[in-house]
Amino acid sequence: MCVGVPAKVVKKMEYSATVDVLGSQTTVGIIFVSEVEIGDYVIVHAGQAMSIVDEDYARESVEEWRKLVDARNSETI
């Protein structure tokens, strides 16, 4: 199973972009979505932005990821 994480593009270079994922920033490749712009949301998998998604989808997906993280954190307490 492949899992993609939604991220917001905060900086764009020629072949990579800095994205914000749940409050953390990382650099990802953008060769599959070269048309991406700052402020767009992308699905990131294995260090690559795989597709551009709309903000509503990204927001809903982030909410589900936060639930998973919160559930995991509550197990370790």
Side-chain angles (χ1 to χ4, degrees), residues 62-75:
V62 165
E63 287 175 21
E64 294 303 316
W65 277 101
R66 286 190 197 280
K67 289 177 187 175
L68 288 171
V69 170
D70 291 345
R72 177 69 177 140
N73 287 342
S74 68
E75 290 177 6

Side-chain angles (χ1 to χ4, degrees), residues 16-61:
S16 63
T18 301
V19 296
D20 184 282
V21 180
L22 297 172
S24 296
Q25 291 190 355
T26 191
T27 301
V28 299
I30 57 169
I31 60 172
F32 299 120
V33 291
S34 58
E35 70 278 12
V36 73
E37 298 294 334
I38 294 171
D40 286 347
Y41 288 84
V42 294
I43 296 297
V44 176
H45 173 71
Q48 293 293 320
M50 303 302 288
S51 61
I52 299 171
V53 296
D54 67 48
E55 186 174 355
D56 290 334
Y57 175 85
R59 185 178 301 114
E60 291 171 11
S61 184

